[in-house]
Amino acid sequence: MSVPHIPYAINILLCLAAVLVSNYCFRRANPQARVFNRYFILAAGGVVLAIVNIFLRDPGASFWLFLVSAAWLGTAVYQIRLMPERDDPLNR
C-alpha cells in the first residue's frame, strides 16, 4: 500500500495560511509589547515547515508533510479560541 502524492503547492498554502493566522493572533494578543509567545512560535514554525516543503521533493514524504501542515494550521486556528480578552473602548 503506497501513500498518495499530495501536490507541494497545497502543503505550502496550508503552511502560509497557518503563518497568517498565527501573525493575526500575535498582533492581536498584545499590540504594544512584542514578546515571544506561542503565536510567534507557530508563525516561525509555519515558515520553517513551508521551507521544508519547498526543498524536500520526495513524493513519499508529501503525504506526511500534508498531515503535518494540516495539523499546524489546525493548531493555529485553535489558538484563536485561547486568545486573551481585549478591553474594547467601544464597550465601556
Side-chain angles (χ1 to χ4, degrees):
M1 181 173 150
S2 65
V3 293
H5 175 68
I6 307 293
Y8 288 99
I10 293 173
N11 296 347
I12 293 170
L13 288 175
L14 288 174
C15 293
L16 293 179
V19 169
L20 290 175
V21 170
S22 300
N23 281 334
Y24 166 74
C25 293
F26 179 73
R27 294 205 180 269
R28 189 169 171 255
N30 194 355
Q32 286 80 25
R34 300 283 183 234
V35 296
F36 294 122
N37 55 19
R38 65 180 176 253
Y39 308 115
F40 178 80
I41 293 169
L42 278 172
V47 170
V48 169
L49 192 57
I51 291 171
V52 167
N53 274 295
I54 289 171
F55 290 112
L56 185 63
R57 294 294 181 174
D58 181 19
S62 69
F63 177 71
W64 302 109
L65 288 172
F66 172 75
L67 291 179
V68 172
S69 300
W72 205 264
L73 178 60
T75 303
V77 169
Y78 182 72
Q79 292 298 316
I80 293 173
R81 296 184 64 204
L82 302 177
M83 291 185 62
E85 293 290 327
R86 285 180 50 183
D87 291 334
D88 191 6
L90 298 176
N91 290 336
R92 288 183 185 179

